[in-house]
Amino acid sequence: MNGGQVSYVTTSWDDGHPLDMRLAEVLAKSGVTGTIYVPLSYPPMPRLSDAELRELARAGFEIGSHTMSHPRLDQVSEQRCRQELVDSKHALEDILGSAVTSLCYPCGKFNARARRLVRESGYAVGRTTVSYRTGLQFDPMAMPVAYQLRDHSGAVHARHAIREGNWRGFAAWIRCGCASEATALASKLFARARKSGGIYHLWGHSWEIEEAGLWPKLAAILAEIARQPDVRYVTNGQLAALVRPAP
Ligand SMILES: [Zn+2]
């Protein structure tokens, strides 16, 4: 029991691969929504067509920027960083005919300058890969996540948290019993989010779900998190507008 308090489920999916269409269909059948982050000019990755992006937006998914060419924003010049942020925002808005206000940092890498430029470029959300977080308060320019849909070993989970200096997340992962198997960790983090009236933010890549054969695990996770009383299912942008920013 969570005492009747509301908690939130959001999801986000990076790289704009055409398999996002299948992913969106699976999510929608469970009543779960989210944000699809698309790099507009990233040749190594096939991407959703402009018509598919509009179809996803009509289906209630948020379309966010993943920059133009997917560079690490902590490594490029200030001018290039700003250009990647502004150009991708305008190009996506031209495709969609509506405002684009969420951005996902390529490779999850960001620094103080990138955060500032994301805000100055007119975004309301900068999503990171800072993991195992389920708290209701967060910096919208460094939106954390709960969990990536992928079977990491325990050592990789620990290394990831330590490399990002994510001590709060690392402690939460330990309190989840250092779970590493995808559905087990997902279940423990969802329970944490529900218990505290927090946020369960699942993220991943559709191409990776396909490559690793994770569709059955996604179905199992959705069966657990979907259609729960006192849970609101929202996009990243809706979530940032609903919850209080960190002081
Ligand atoms: Zn990416």
Side-chain angles (χ1 to χ4, degrees):
M1 292 294 289
N2 68 352
Q5 62 191 331
V6 171
S7 47
Y8 300 90
V9 165
T10 191
T11 70
S12 53
W13 309 96
D14 300 359
D15 294 348
H17 192 280
L19 277 165
D20 285 358
M21 295 304 285
R22 175 178 172 185
L23 179 62
E25 194 179 336
V26 171
L27 294 169
K29 275 186 184 152
S30 298
V32 174
T33 188
T35 301
I36 290 166
Y37 289 104
V38 186
L40 283 172
S41 180
Y42 182 43
M45 186 68 65
R47 87 153 166 88
L48 295 157
S49 69
D50 293 356
E52 286 171 328
L53 291 173
R54 287 190 284 269
E55 189 179 330
L56 289 168
R58 274 197 303 274
F61 289 89
E62 178 186 25
I63 307 298
S65 166
H66 202 26
T67 71
M68 293 299 291
S69 62
H70 203 272
R72 278 185 52 165
L73 295 182
D74 61 333
Q75 289 184 343
V76 296
S77 71
E78 174 153 348
Q79 186 188 8
R80 166 93 189 276
C81 182
R82 194 185 293 276
Q83 202 162 14
E84 288 278 347
L85 295 168
V86 171
D87 288 358
S88 61
K89 187 175 193 298
H90 290 166
L92 269 180
E93 287 174 345
D94 283 347
I95 292 168
L96 298 167
S98 57
V100 169
T101 57
S102 293
L103 175 284
C104 174
Y105 298 98
C107 309
K109 302 296 183 187
F110 66 101
N111 55 13
R113 186 195 66 184
R115 277 157 62 153
R116 172 174 58 81
L117 293 175
V118 168
R119 190 185 315 106
E120 288 175 4
S121 302
Y123 293 97
V125 167
R127 204 220 75 203
T128 72
T129 56
V130 174
S131 302
Y132 324 111
R133 299 292 189 88
T134 55
L136 202 54
Q137 290 199 340
F138 61 89
D139 174 356
M141 291 300 117
M143 177 188 261
V145 292
Y147 164 66
Q148 180 183 8
L149 178 56
R150 188 171 166 180
D151 273 325
H152 287 307
S153 68
V156 170
H157 281 292
R159 199 163 59 233
H160 186 192
I162 291 165
R163 197 186 294 145
E164 290 190 321
N166 178 18
W167 305 114
R168 205 188 318 164
F170 188 42
W173 177 65
I174 290 169
R175 282 195 295 274
C176 286
C178 302
S180 58
E181 190 276 325
T183 53
L185 181 54
S187 185
K188 287 180 189 295
L189 286 164
F190 184 57
R192 273 180 71 83
R194 292 225 66 197
K195 191 174 169 191
S196 62
I199 300 162
Y200 177 81
H201 186 160
L202 176 70
W203 79 280
H205 307 94
S206 58
W207 58 264
E208 197 167 54
I209 294 172
E210 177 75 10
E211 271 182 21
L214 292 171
W215 294 105
K217 290 199 177 187
L218 175 62
I221 291 168
L222 290 172
E224 182 174 1
I225 68 174
R227 299 191 177 88
Q228 294 293 319
D230 304 322
V231 174
R232 290 190 198 169
Y233 299 89
V234 291
T235 65
N236 289 186
Q238 288 166 342
L239 179 67
L242 278 168
V243 304
R244 294 158 291 164

